[in-house]
Amino acid sequence: MKKMLSGAAIVAAMVLGGAGASALDSSREVYFTAGTHQFYVWCTGGAAGETATSDGATAEEAQLKLYEQLKAGGKTNCWPIWQGKV
């Protein structure tokens, strides 16, 4: 039983360790850096939210690009909320 629990703990640590490596960086410093930023797209009127990414010189630029894409696609009641840098 101890060996089984020990093995499960090792597997869990490996899974969590791998998840941490691909996690978003939501520190304030990366908000102002260039790259791919991830957003949660929140919509009014009962529309389901979703996640999306956008590239930009800063998170603000990426957010505005994504907002314009959403509007052009007919989603005028949606706004991207920054989650972090991918």
Side-chain angles (χ1 to χ4, degrees):
M1 182 69 151
K2 283 185 180 183
K3 286 183 183 181
M4 188 172 157
L5 290 175
S6 174
I10 291 171
V11 170
M14 289 171 46
V15 169
L16 291 176
S22 64
L24 292 174
D25 185 351
S26 59
S27 64
R28 191 68 181 156
E29 294 80 27
V30 301
Y31 183 87
F32 298 103
T33 61
T36 303
H37 297 267
Q38 180 171 306
F39 300 88
Y40 175 77
V41 179
W42 178 80
C43 302
T44 60
E50 58 188 35
T51 58
T53 59
S54 181
D55 294 330
T58 65
E60 183 176 9
E61 180 181 294
Q63 182 182 40
L64 290 174
K65 283 182 183 179
L66 182 55
Y67 177 68
E68 291 299 324
Q69 290 173 354
L70 292 167
K71 282 186 4 182
K75 295 184 176 183
T76 58
N77 62 333
C78 298
W79 182 255
I81 301 166
W82 186 72
Q83 291 185 310
K85 187 173 176 185
V86 178

